[in-house]
Amino acid sequence: MKYLDQINGPDDLKQIPRDELGAVAREIRGRIIDVVSKNGGHLASSLGVVELTIALHYVFDIPKDTLIWDVGHQSYAHKLLTGRHRDFDTLRKYKGISGFVKIKESPYDAFTVGHASTSISAGLGMCYAKALKQDNSNVVSIIGDGSMTAGLAYEGLNHAGDLQQKYIVILNDNDMSISANVGALSSYLSRTLSHKKLQNMRNQFGQFLKSVPKIGDDMYGWAKRWEESFKTFVTPGMLFEAFNFDYFGPIDGHNLDHLIDILSNIKDPDSPVLLHVTTKKGKGYAPAEKNPVYFHGVGAFAVDTGKSPASTSSAPPSYTTVFGNCMVALAKQNKCIVAVSAAMPEGTGLSHFAEQFADRFVDVGIAEQHAVTFAAGLAAKGAKPVVAIYSTFLQRAYDQILHDVCIDSHPVIFALDRGGIVGEDGPTHHGMFDFSYLRSMPNMVVMAPMDENELVRMMQTAVAHQGPIALRYPRGPGQGVNIDYNAKAVDIGKAKVLRTGGDLLIIGIGRCVNDAMDAALQLSAKGIESTVVNARFVKPLDGDLILDLAGKIKRVVTIEEHVLAGGFGSAILELICDGGISGCRVNRVGINDVFIEHGSQAELRKDYGIDARAVVAAGLKLCCEK
Ligand SMILES: Cc1ncc(C[n+]2csc(CCOP(=O)(O)OP(=O)(O)O)c2C)c(N)n1
């Protein structure tokens, strides 16, 4: 590649004449599209910021100046310009380049990220630390309009406006979250952006910047005065001015000349500055421009058509799909059900529900904490809220679950998708902590289905229950069992014995029960006969059954796709200890106090030891060692 092959870092980019940067942008797009078409990834967001990324690296002195990407899913161009072009084919592969920004990966990655809306707080902290060290370099946070729906972003803005330190925030406004953006701010930005007078002024402003060479402070002062006269009209800047930021824009985020000029002029500000940049998600690749929702996070596809390969296998429907279908079926019978999503209607399988029950579907934006307290309010007034949020993102709302839902035992249903190892998105996205953080809360019931039909049954249980209740299920296809959407509820706190044997007791939860059954077959071939229990509930455990079996068999293996600390196996240990079962040995299979890297689910389960093999090894240890 003519340009990328010569770029090992931003200094090399700066050697390229300005009028050739458009060609660099084309090469970067080609490389991103090629690799994502094979490995999958966050295509549309990354294509949308190619020019902005080039301009930032052209103007600033990174890593001395600090760039902080919000979410980090749009950082592919940044990776290509900071020495990762040659390894980029390994994007999202096990032990390859991460799909997000990661401090351990590169000195150019200033803050590890994957969850939304952290960039302003983190950036401000860095400004503060730099000021303490009398380091006068810049800090630039780049945040999307979707990520601006979270309260955390406003907490950062509010504090920055008060501190008045040297700080630049860039609002990357593409009018989209994963789906269409929601909320009053989003409509405010779109409304003011389409204001005719504003459009004209924006053009004039751009033309002016284009025609004037950089004249440093004078230009900055002029732009500020110009902006002030501008404020007599309705501008999106008023909101940010209220937070004591100097507001510039909106400017076209695909016009490299404009971007370089204005970034050069706002560089080294005296106080906080917000630059509003408008971009198009999927820019430069027609299928992604046309369907940015699909190409937000996409699997492999054919570059010429944008189509994903037709599925040849008869893979069972995913847990997500079954949950979505189940919600539609339940909502037909129960008029109180309200689905609450935090900016992920597609990801959580709720699109059909949203179409069919528009008034009972609420997308609150990237606002997990609000989603939970909002649901508590719904439940307090007789609705039956189902909060569908990925396990990892619900971590944000720990206190809301505890304080707003559990203390008064409001009947809120938590549907936690992506429980366990999620795969290529890596450590920020694996859902490894939910059993621990949920089971410690009084009044909460915690379930995990072993297959997709049990998911349906647990949803029936949840709807009938009069208190907080959570079920967590994994990413990916179900086990291929028959699904009966009218199946009867499972009884709370009742486990199920799937197989009997006197040598070993294997207790599994969720998807891992299937590994437990595989392991029992393998152990049987070695002469060890196991009882296998599908625990179904992390809380309340089926104490009577488990204590009885543990007392008789005395050798117990637990398996969970979750951290060991405070998880399902810990709950079993507590039960056995508190139940006074003496001489019983327990071996727990789970994740041992580490963050799991990115890679395919199969590779990670094998390498981190969450599979039948690990259960067999644990069982042999108990049965063969004296
Ligand atoms: C706390 C949290 N909730 C949900 C998500 C899932 N998510 C990833 S990107 C995204 C949309 C971000 O929109 P925006 O900031 O506008 O960036 P864009 O993709 O449009 O460039 C969402 C909801 C997340 N990463 N973090």
Side-chain angles (χ1 to χ4, degrees), residues 88-408:
F88 198 63
D89 294 294
T90 68
L91 181 73
R92 291 161 52 85
K93 300 244 185 237
Y94 192 33
K95 300 192 193 292
I97 296 277
S98 159
F100 293 88
V101 175
K102 193 173 176 184
I103 286 183
K104 284 196 196 115
E105 190 174 284
S106 163
Y108 294 95
D109 287 9
F111 196 68
T112 297
V113 71
H115 288 198
S117 320
T118 60
S119 63
I120 299 179
S121 300
L124 190 62
M126 293 188 198
C127 292
Y128 203 91
K130 284 190 181 195
L132 288 176
K133 290 199 284 183
Q134 264 122 46
D135 170 349
N136 200 32
S137 58
N138 290 277
V139 177
V140 186
S141 297
I142 305 108
I143 184 164
D145 56 306
S147 298
M148 283 298 300
T149 49
L152 179 59
Y154 296 89
E155 293 170 34
L157 280 182
N158 193 35
H159 190 198
D162 189 35
L163 287 182
Q164 285 297 300
Q165 282 178 333
K166 171 178 183 173
Y167 183 29
I168 300 170
V169 174
I170 297 181
L171 171 62
N172 169 31
D173 181 3
N174 55 26
D175 208 16
M176 295 283 293
S177 189
I178 292 180
S179 330
N181 202 5
V182 297
L185 174 71
S186 169
S187 41
Y188 173 71
L189 290 176
S190 335
R191 196 172 57 237
T192 51
L193 279 182
S194 59
H195 194 286
K196 202 153 186 302
K197 277 193 182 119
L198 179 66
Q199 293 282 7
N200 292 337
M201 299 194 100
R202 187 174 53 162
N203 291 342
Q204 285 167 22
F205 186 50
Q207 287 307 321
F208 178 82
L209 283 172
K210 213 174 161 191
S211 64
V212 180
K214 179 170 165 38
I215 48 174
D217 292 345
D218 291 351
M219 178 69 190
Y220 177 78
W222 183 90
K224 210 173 145 203
R225 283 195 300 282
W226 196 86
E227 188 64 22
E228 259 149 27
S229 62
F230 200 78
K231 268 189 288 167
T232 49
F233 297 91
V234 180
T235 80
M238 284 170 172
L239 175 79
F240 302 105
E241 296 276 353
F243 281 106
N244 279 339
F245 272 70
D246 284 331
Y247 171 87
F248 294 93
I251 66 160
D252 176 0
H254 299 299
N255 187 324
L256 267 164
D257 266 347
H258 287 193
L259 283 169
I260 290 173
D261 284 338
I262 193 150
L263 287 174
S264 305
N265 287 317
I266 64 169
K267 191 176 165 181
D268 293 319
D270 296 327
S271 54
V273 164
L274 186 133
L275 174 63
H276 184 174
V277 171
T278 56
T279 58
K280 185 160 184 56
K281 231 168 153 165
K283 177 76 176 175
Y285 181 56
E289 285 192 23
K290 228 161 121 188
N291 192 352
V293 177
Y294 180 75
F295 283 95
H296 176 89
V298 67
F301 61 92
V303 175
D304 49 346
T305 60
K307 297 224 164 78
S308 299
S311 164
T312 45
S313 72
S314 49
S318 67
Y319 283 89
T320 308
T321 302
V322 174
F323 167 73
N325 294 344
C326 181
M327 282 292 288
V328 170
L330 287 168
K332 283 181 184 155
Q333 296 154 14
N334 185 332
K335 301 259 175 294
C336 296
I337 287 176
V338 178
V340 181
S341 165
M344 314 217 40
E346 290 82 15
T348 53
L350 286 171
S351 305
H352 293 311
F353 184 101
E355 279 160 27
Q356 292 188 43
F357 306 99
D359 58 338
R360 289 199 272 151
F361 172 77
V362 187
D363 180 357
V364 299
I366 305 176
E368 289 80 7
Q369 295 160 295
H370 166 65
V372 171
T373 304
F374 175 75
L378 285 171
K381 287 289 170 212
K384 194 82 187 171
V386 181
V387 179
I389 294 183
Y390 288 5
S391 166
T392 186
F393 301 139
L394 193 66
Q395 287 161 198
R396 283 256 160 121
Y398 179 85
D399 185 58
Q400 284 73 16
I401 304 172
L402 191 150
H403 180 273
D404 302 332
V405 175
C406 284
I407 287 181
D408 279 319

